[in-house]
Amino acid sequence: MNAHPEKTNHSKGQKLREGLCAAWPICLGYFPIGLALGVLGQKAGLGPLQIGLMSVLVFAGSAQFIAVAMIAAGSSFGAIVTTTFVVNFRHFLMSSAMAVYLARVHRGFLSLFAYGITDESFAVNMTRFRQGDWDRWRALVVNHAANLTWVFATVTGALVGAFIPPGAFGIDYALVAMFLCLLVFQLQGRIYILTALIAGVFSVTWYLWVPGDSYVVVASVAAATVGYLLRRRRRGSKA
């Protein structure tokens, strides 16, 4: 860890270039997913302005995919807000971990920085901070290059969505595919696999017996709680 990341002697232009170099793989991945979200949003009845505002104000792909799917299914406002809040709660943890490298930074900068944190930008910036020779300005470039790409891609998807027939190119499967990928990346041990299975069982059981969309929240909270208790018990047995 670089104890004084701000003291590295680089020009603003060089910091911008290095930030963009670190961000381009994220941007490359965001563009097709953002297009898919824009198309799905258009099919759910949202216009380019609404999709763009959602991307600017929320800027969380998984939450936006869920929100669009729930809007298309006619879910209530409360269910959408609660579900997306639970899904995005991990951002508190990512911001807390990143705060170690942003001590004594102005609150205005922290607000702008925190707004741009996503799973991908967090992974890139955290890795660079740990390696050293990385500072908050390069990290900020990474966050907001990804943000601009996401907003552009989603609005573009909403604009071209009117010309794409429903179900074409497998776009309807984009949400399922993205979450399957996110799930697979998280399966890094038996506890994670067991937690995923518990979430699936809770979700299907609750969906079959209780009307509405509460199965998403119930399954998430129940599986996360069981997973936490299993991990705590495992650590206790090793102590």
Side-chain angles (χ1 to χ4, degrees), residues 192-225:
Y192 297 93
I193 296 173
L194 183 58
T195 303
L197 290 174
I198 292 171
V201 171
F202 265 103
S203 180
V204 173
T205 304
W206 198 271
Y207 176 78
L208 292 175
W209 289 94
V210 181
D213 304 310
S214 59
Y215 66 94
V216 177
V217 177
V218 171
S220 301
V221 174
T225 303

Short mmCIF file of all heavy atoms in Angstrom, two decimals, residues 192-225:
data_model
loop_
_atom_site.label_atom_id
_atom_site.label_comp_id
_atom_site.label_asym_id
_atom_site.label_seq_id
_atom_site.Cartn_x
_atom_site.Cartn_y
_atom_site.Cartn_z
N TYR A 192 -20.52 -20.55 -0.20
CA TYR A 192 -21.16 -19.71 -1.21
C TYR A 192 -22.15 -20.53 -2.04
O TYR A 192 -23.24 -20.06 -2.38
CB TYR A 192 -20.10 -19.08 -2.12
CG TYR A 192 -19.17 -18.15 -1.38
CD1 TYR A 192 -17.96 -18.60 -0.87
CD2 TYR A 192 -19.52 -16.81 -1.19
CE1 TYR A 192 -17.11 -17.75 -0.19
CE2 TYR A 192 -18.67 -15.95 -0.51
CZ TYR A 192 -17.46 -16.43 -0.01
OH TYR A 192 -16.64 -15.58 0.67
N ILE A 193 -21.75 -21.76 -2.39
CA ILE A 193 -22.65 -22.62 -3.16
C ILE A 193 -23.89 -22.96 -2.34
O ILE A 193 -25.02 -22.90 -2.84
CB ILE A 193 -21.91 -23.90 -3.59
CG1 ILE A 193 -20.76 -23.55 -4.53
CG2 ILE A 193 -22.88 -24.88 -4.26
CD1 ILE A 193 -19.87 -24.74 -4.88
N LEU A 194 -23.67 -23.28 -1.05
CA LEU A 194 -24.80 -23.61 -0.18
C LEU A 194 -25.72 -22.40 -0.01
O LEU A 194 -26.96 -22.54 -0.03
CB LEU A 194 -24.27 -24.07 1.17
CG LEU A 194 -25.33 -24.54 2.19
CD1 LEU A 194 -26.14 -25.70 1.61
CD2 LEU A 194 -24.66 -24.94 3.50
N THR A 195 -25.14 -21.22 0.14
CA THR A 195 -25.95 -20.00 0.27
C THR A 195 -26.79 -19.76 -0.97
O THR A 195 -27.97 -19.39 -0.89
CB THR A 195 -25.04 -18.79 0.53
OG1 THR A 195 -24.25 -19.03 1.70
CG2 THR A 195 -25.86 -17.53 0.73
N ALA A 196 -26.20 -19.99 -2.15
CA ALA A 196 -26.95 -19.81 -3.40
C ALA A 196 -28.10 -20.81 -3.49
O ALA A 196 -29.20 -20.46 -3.92
CB ALA A 196 -26.00 -19.98 -4.59
N LEU A 197 -27.84 -22.05 -3.08
CA LEU A 197 -28.90 -23.06 -3.11
C LEU A 197 -30.03 -22.69 -2.14
O LEU A 197 -31.22 -22.85 -2.47
CB LEU A 197 -28.32 -24.43 -2.75
CG LEU A 197 -27.39 -25.05 -3.80
CD1 LEU A 197 -26.76 -26.33 -3.26
CD2 LEU A 197 -28.15 -25.34 -5.09
N ILE A 198 -29.66 -22.20 -0.96
CA ILE A 198 -30.68 -21.78 0.01
C ILE A 198 -31.52 -20.64 -0.55
O ILE A 198 -32.75 -20.62 -0.40
CB ILE A 198 -30.00 -21.36 1.34
CG1 ILE A 198 -29.39 -22.59 2.02
CG2 ILE A 198 -31.00 -20.69 2.27
CD1 ILE A 198 -28.52 -22.26 3.21
N ALA A 199 -30.86 -19.69 -1.21
CA ALA A 199 -31.59 -18.58 -1.82
C ALA A 199 -32.58 -19.08 -2.86
O ALA A 199 -33.72 -18.60 -2.94
CB ALA A 199 -30.60 -17.59 -2.44
N GLY A 200 -32.14 -20.05 -3.66
CA GLY A 200 -33.03 -20.61 -4.68
C GLY A 200 -34.23 -21.32 -4.08
O GLY A 200 -35.37 -21.12 -4.52
N VAL A 201 -33.99 -22.10 -3.04
CA VAL A 201 -35.09 -22.84 -2.40
C VAL A 201 -36.07 -21.86 -1.75
O VAL A 201 -37.30 -21.99 -1.90
CB VAL A 201 -34.52 -23.82 -1.35
CG1 VAL A 201 -35.67 -24.42 -0.52
CG2 VAL A 201 -33.73 -24.93 -2.03
N PHE A 202 -35.52 -20.87 -1.01
CA PHE A 202 -36.40 -19.87 -0.38
C PHE A 202 -37.21 -19.12 -1.43
O PHE A 202 -38.41 -18.89 -1.26
CB PHE A 202 -35.55 -18.87 0.42
CG PHE A 202 -35.43 -19.22 1.88
CD1 PHE A 202 -34.27 -19.79 2.37
CD2 PHE A 202 -36.48 -18.98 2.76
CE1 PHE A 202 -34.14 -20.11 3.71
CE2 PHE A 202 -36.36 -19.31 4.10
CZ PHE A 202 -35.19 -19.88 4.58
N SER A 203 -36.55 -18.73 -2.51
CA SER A 203 -37.21 -17.93 -3.54
C SER A 203 -38.37 -18.69 -4.18
O SER A 203 -39.49 -18.17 -4.29
CB SER A 203 -36.19 -17.52 -4.60
OG SER A 203 -36.80 -16.75 -5.60
N VAL A 204 -38.10 -19.94 -4.59
CA VAL A 204 -39.15 -20.72 -5.26
C VAL A 204 -40.29 -21.06 -4.29
O VAL A 204 -41.47 -20.91 -4.63
CB VAL A 204 -38.54 -22.02 -5.85
CG1 VAL A 204 -39.64 -22.92 -6.40
CG2 VAL A 204 -37.54 -21.68 -6.95
N THR A 205 -39.93 -21.46 -3.07
CA THR A 205 -40.96 -21.83 -2.09
C THR A 205 -41.85 -20.64 -1.75
O THR A 205 -43.08 -20.73 -1.75
CB THR A 205 -40.30 -22.36 -0.80
OG1 THR A 205 -39.43 -23.45 -1.14
CG2 THR A 205 -41.36 -22.83 0.18
N TRP A 206 -41.20 -19.49 -1.50
CA TRP A 206 -41.97 -18.29 -1.14
C TRP A 206 -42.84 -17.82 -2.30
O TRP A 206 -43.98 -17.39 -2.12
CB TRP A 206 -41.02 -17.17 -0.71
CG TRP A 206 -41.67 -16.06 0.07
CD1 TRP A 206 -42.26 -14.95 -0.42
CD2 TRP A 206 -41.82 -16.01 1.49
NE1 TRP A 206 -42.75 -14.17 0.59
CE2 TRP A 206 -42.51 -14.79 1.78
CE3 TRP A 206 -41.45 -16.84 2.54
CZ2 TRP A 206 -42.81 -14.40 3.07
CZ3 TRP A 206 -41.75 -16.45 3.84
CH2 TRP A 206 -42.43 -15.25 4.08
N TYR A 207 -42.31 -17.93 -3.53
CA TYR A 207 -43.05 -17.51 -4.71
C TYR A 207 -44.30 -18.36 -4.91
O TYR A 207 -45.36 -17.87 -5.32
CB TYR A 207 -42.14 -17.61 -5.95
CG TYR A 207 -42.83 -17.28 -7.25
CD1 TYR A 207 -43.07 -15.96 -7.62
CD2 TYR A 207 -43.25 -18.30 -8.12
CE1 TYR A 207 -43.71 -15.65 -8.80
CE2 TYR A 207 -43.89 -18.00 -9.30
CZ TYR A 207 -44.11 -16.68 -9.65
OH TYR A 207 -44.76 -16.38 -10.82
N LEU A 208 -44.19 -19.66 -4.61
CA LEU A 208 -45.32 -20.57 -4.81
C LEU A 208 -46.40 -20.39 -3.75
O LEU A 208 -47.59 -20.62 -4.02
CB LEU A 208 -44.83 -22.02 -4.79
CG LEU A 208 -43.94 -22.45 -5.97
CD1 LEU A 208 -43.43 -23.87 -5.77
CD2 LEU A 208 -44.71 -22.35 -7.29
N TRP A 209 -46.03 -19.95 -2.54
CA TRP A 209 -46.99 -19.90 -1.44
C TRP A 209 -47.46 -18.49 -1.10
O TRP A 209 -48.51 -18.33 -0.49
CB TRP A 209 -46.38 -20.54 -0.19
CG TRP A 209 -46.26 -22.02 -0.32
CD1 TRP A 209 -45.20 -22.75 -0.73
CD2 TRP A 209 -47.30 -23.00 -0.04
NE1 TRP A 209 -45.47 -24.09 -0.75
CE2 TRP A 209 -46.76 -24.28 -0.31
CE3 TRP A 209 -48.63 -22.90 0.41
CZ2 TRP A 209 -47.51 -25.44 -0.16
CZ3 TRP A 209 -49.36 -24.06 0.58
CH2 TRP A 209 -48.80 -25.31 0.29
N VAL A 210 -46.70 -17.47 -1.43
CA VAL A 210 -47.05 -16.10 -1.05
C VAL A 210 -47.17 -15.24 -2.32
O VAL A 210 -46.19 -15.13 -3.07
CB VAL A 210 -45.98 -15.49 -0.10
CG1 VAL A 210 -46.37 -14.06 0.30
CG2 VAL A 210 -45.81 -16.36 1.12
N PRO A 211 -48.31 -14.63 -2.56
CA PRO A 211 -48.47 -13.78 -3.75
C PRO A 211 -47.58 -12.53 -3.67
O PRO A 211 -47.23 -12.08 -2.59
CB PRO A 211 -49.96 -13.39 -3.71
CG PRO A 211 -50.61 -14.35 -2.77
CD PRO A 211 -49.55 -14.76 -1.78
N GLY A 212 -47.26 -11.97 -4.84
CA GLY A 212 -46.47 -10.74 -4.89
C GLY A 212 -45.00 -11.00 -5.18
O GLY A 212 -44.61 -12.10 -5.59
N ASP A 213 -44.20 -9.95 -4.98
CA ASP A 213 -42.77 -10.01 -5.30
C ASP A 213 -41.87 -10.07 -4.07
O ASP A 213 -40.67 -9.89 -4.18
CB ASP A 213 -42.38 -8.77 -6.13
CG ASP A 213 -43.23 -8.65 -7.37
OD1 ASP A 213 -43.35 -9.64 -8.10
OD2 ASP A 213 -43.80 -7.56 -7.58
N SER A 214 -42.47 -10.33 -2.91
CA SER A 214 -41.67 -10.32 -1.69
C SER A 214 -40.66 -11.46 -1.64
O SER A 214 -39.73 -11.43 -0.84
CB SER A 214 -42.58 -10.38 -0.46
OG SER A 214 -43.37 -11.56 -0.49
N TYR A 215 -40.82 -12.46 -2.51
CA TYR A 215 -39.90 -13.61 -2.49
C TYR A 215 -38.46 -13.18 -2.76
O TYR A 215 -37.52 -13.81 -2.25
CB TYR A 215 -40.34 -14.66 -3.51
CG TYR A 215 -40.25 -14.23 -4.94
CD1 TYR A 215 -39.13 -14.51 -5.71
CD2 TYR A 215 -41.29 -13.53 -5.55
CE1 TYR A 215 -39.04 -14.12 -7.03
CE2 TYR A 215 -41.21 -13.12 -6.87
CZ TYR A 215 -40.09 -13.43 -7.62
OH TYR A 215 -39.99 -13.03 -8.92
N VAL A 216 -38.26 -12.11 -3.53
CA VAL A 216 -36.90 -11.65 -3.82
C VAL A 216 -36.21 -11.17 -2.56
O VAL A 216 -35.08 -11.56 -2.23
CB VAL A 216 -36.93 -10.53 -4.89
CG1 VAL A 216 -35.52 -10.02 -5.14
CG2 VAL A 216 -37.55 -11.02 -6.17
N VAL A 217 -36.92 -10.32 -1.80
CA VAL A 217 -36.35 -9.77 -0.57
C VAL A 217 -36.19 -10.86 0.49
O VAL A 217 -35.12 -10.97 1.14
CB VAL A 217 -37.25 -8.63 -0.03
CG1 VAL A 217 -36.69 -8.09 1.28
CG2 VAL A 217 -37.37 -7.53 -1.06
N VAL A 218 -37.22 -11.69 0.66
CA VAL A 218 -37.17 -12.73 1.68
C VAL A 218 -36.04 -13.71 1.41
O VAL A 218 -35.26 -14.06 2.31
CB VAL A 218 -38.53 -13.47 1.74
CG1 VAL A 218 -38.43 -14.70 2.65
CG2 VAL A 218 -39.61 -12.53 2.24
N ALA A 219 -35.91 -14.15 0.16
CA ALA A 219 -34.86 -15.11 -0.18
C ALA A 219 -33.47 -14.49 0.01
O ALA A 219 -32.55 -15.16 0.52
CB ALA A 219 -35.03 -15.58 -1.62
N SER A 220 -33.31 -13.23 -0.37
CA SER A 220 -32.01 -12.56 -0.24
C SER A 220 -31.60 -12.45 1.23
O SER A 220 -30.48 -12.79 1.61
CB SER A 220 -32.06 -11.17 -0.87
OG SER A 220 -32.40 -11.24 -2.23
N VAL A 221 -32.52 -11.95 2.07
CA VAL A 221 -32.21 -11.75 3.48
C VAL A 221 -31.98 -13.10 4.18
O VAL A 221 -31.03 -13.26 4.94
CB VAL A 221 -33.35 -10.97 4.17
CG1 VAL A 221 -33.11 -10.90 5.67
CG2 VAL A 221 -33.45 -9.57 3.58
N ALA A 222 -32.84 -14.08 3.90
CA ALA A 222 -32.72 -15.38 4.56
C ALA A 222 -31.41 -16.07 4.17
O ALA A 222 -30.68 -16.58 5.04
CB ALA A 222 -33.91 -16.25 4.18
N ALA A 223 -31.09 -16.09 2.89
CA ALA A 223 -29.87 -16.76 2.43
C ALA A 223 -28.62 -16.04 2.95
O ALA A 223 -27.66 -16.69 3.38
CB ALA A 223 -29.85 -16.82 0.90
N ALA A 224 -28.64 -14.71 2.93
CA ALA A 224 -27.48 -13.96 3.43
C ALA A 224 -27.28 -14.21 4.92
O ALA A 224 -26.14 -14.35 5.40
CB ALA A 224 -27.68 -12.47 3.17
N THR A 225 -28.37 -14.29 5.68
CA THR A 225 -28.27 -14.55 7.12
C THR A 225 -27.71 -15.94 7.39
O THR A 225 -26.80 -16.11 8.22
CB THR A 225 -29.66 -14.40 7.78
OG1 THR A 225 -30.17 -13.10 7.51
CG2 THR A 225 -29.56 -14.61 9.28
#
